[in-house]
Amino acid sequence: LLEGLLLAARTALQGAGRLVEANLNHLLRFGITRRIMAHAARLDVSSYEDAQLHERIQRISDETPWRVQQVLGAIFNAAGEAMALLAVLVIIGRLGGWYVALLLGATLPALLIGWREGGMVYTWQKAWGKWYRYVDYFRHVVLLPQFIMELRLFRLAPHFIARFWDSARTFMRAYFWFEVRRQRLYAVKTLLPDLGYLCGVGALARGVVRGAVTVGDAVMFVGAFKAAQGSLGTIVEALGELYESSLFITDLETFLQLSPRLASPPGARVLRPQEPLTVEFRRVRFRYAADAPDVLRDVSVTLRPGQRVALVGENGAGKTTLIKLLLRFYDPSAGQILINGTDLREIDLASYYTNIGMIFQEPMRHEARVREQIGYGDLAALDDMARIRYAAQLGGADAFIDKLPGGFEAHLGMWELEEHTQKLSGGQWQRLALARAMMPRASLI
């Protein structure tokens, strides 16, 4: 009766585990990914130029969601098998406590080996995961449409295919030898319980020959011992998965503890919408790293409302860097940037950005309708068609928009998320980006 109750409890727990796994699959995957995205969006722009941090973001995005789900599945599996284990331990215990000790003694080393295996998996994936991403990168270069024209013109496809295969072979060789080490551990982990089982059977056979143990008890022991080993094996595997997944989840916890350095301080000055801005660079010096050379040195200039200023210089002269400092994507290494007499570090960034219109060298090509492509310049006016039409006119995009099927409702993009997605030329995308920059009621464009 006790065994029957425990087996029923195991079945219930396993069913509950499958139910939870089925229902939480997408919730965990998308929910954790959303949290990663939200935190990454708060980090400084400079964070995205840090190769190690970018590698960490990629790793936790790939690994953490399904690892959390694996943790839940492992907990339910371990709990269910624990119920079954209790049932057969009662039977084995009737033959003598040393049989239980033999069972546990042969299994606990397997648990330690499982933990070591989990650590190996984490360390290997952390070290070699980037090679898998190399492989994926070269695959994308050859297959994605935005690269196809240069690939054809410069006959680069064979070169990138060769680099894809070289990277893949490097990854496969490393993975092969990793699996060799892992399978050695697996062999030891498997043989230890089998050795314990054989010792138990040998002791029983000796007891049967001497008449100390009945044949019925021996048969019962063999079945119970095998069942207990199966349950213990499942528990050991589950605990190994828990340990392995916890290492990956620790990466997520470490990532979520990162804080942006370039945040607005408490009591920062809030700028009014369309407030005329006077920008002053006062002896600004900047370098990207402490051991790197200066990109800007002793820059002093004042930009007043209504002025039109062009920055002219050779590649690497610091033009883009100066704009990054103006947008406070970085802080100066020395000197000050003053906005209406206030250090930019003391300005509320949200109110500052509402006063800025900007078009980048490589503007984003959103998968969205034309009106959204422009309206993204000011989310508060995303549905204000009058402003969107006016911004399109200022950006010189209205002429080709009127010729598109659907006009401002036409869907654009490379991914074709909707039917009848329209394609634009590079110049037309630039015009849309310029119209988007006209959306904010900006003082500085």
Side-chain angles (χ1 to χ4, degrees), residues 179-443:
E179 278 297 324
V180 168
R181 291 160 50 212
R182 191 178 181 183
Q183 293 307 316
R184 287 174 183 167
L185 287 178
Y186 177 79
V188 176
K189 184 172 66 174
T190 303
L191 287 174
L192 281 176
D194 289 342
L195 182 61
Y197 167 73
L198 292 175
C199 290
V201 169
L204 278 175
R206 183 181 179 187
V208 169
V209 170
R210 292 184 173 184
V213 179
T214 66
V215 174
D217 281 343
V219 171
M220 180 181 65
F221 169 83
V222 170
F225 202 89
K226 277 291 186 183
Q229 280 192 320
S231 295
L232 272 173
T234 300
I235 292 171
V236 166
E237 289 293 329
L239 292 177
E241 290 175 0
L242 283 172
Y243 176 68
E244 179 182 325
S245 297
S246 70
L247 295 175
F248 287 94
I249 294 172
T250 300
D251 279 346
L252 173 62
E253 295 173 347
T254 303
F255 171 71
L256 294 177
Q257 290 172 1
L258 295 176
S259 300
R261 294 182 298 105
L262 306 182
S264 302
R269 178 179 173 181
V270 177
L271 300 176
R272 302 187 312 275
Q274 294 183 290
E275 179 177 338
L277 301 182
T278 298
V279 179
E280 180 185 358
F281 281 72
R282 183 179 293 175
R283 305 199 67 176
V284 168
R285 181 171 62 83
F286 179 76
R287 59 178 59 179
Y288 282 98
D291 56 350
D294 287 338
V295 180
L296 298 173
R297 186 184 302 110
D298 200 25
V299 174
S300 296
V301 64
T302 300
L303 311 176
R304 302 190 185 280
Q307 282 187 304
R308 295 183 179 181
V309 179
L311 299 176
V312 181
E314 296 180 354
N315 291 338
K319 302 183 298 297
T320 302
T321 299
L322 189 142
I323 298 301
K324 288 179 179 179
L325 294 175
L326 178 60
L327 297 174
R328 210 192 168 198
F329 292 162
Y330 294 86
D331 279 336
S333 303
Q336 288 181 296
I337 301 174
L338 304 176
I339 307 296
N340 289 350
T342 302
D343 193 304
L344 181 54
R345 287 168 285 208
E346 302 298 324
I347 297 289
D348 176 73
L349 286 178
S351 67
Y352 179 55
Y353 290 153
T354 58
N355 281 282
I356 296 178
M358 180 76 185
I359 177 171
F360 294 90
Q361 288 177 323
E362 297 180 4
M364 289 187 67
R365 300 185 179 189
H366 299 282
E367 303 288 322
R369 303 187 186 282
V370 171
R371 59 177 173 80
E372 294 172 317
Q373 302 271 0
I374 299 173
Y376 285 158
D378 185 357
L379 283 176
L382 190 59
D383 298 319
D384 189 340
M385 285 305 302
R387 280 185 61 187
I388 290 173
R389 290 180 185 277
Y390 183 58
Q393 183 181 352
L394 292 176
D398 55 331
F400 75 82
I401 291 174
D402 291 336
K403 297 178 182 178
L404 291 175
F408 283 88
E409 292 298 321
H411 193 272
L412 308 177
M414 298 293 295
W415 289 31
E416 299 190 9
L417 298 181
E418 293 190 11
E419 293 183 8
H420 310 299
T421 297
Q422 304 296 312
K423 298 291 189 295
L424 298 183
S425 69
Q428 288 172 327
W429 279 111
Q430 288 281 353
R431 288 290 181 181
L432 277 181
L434 184 57
R436 186 159 59 242
M438 298 298 161
M439 278 298 291
R441 302 185 186 275
S443 312

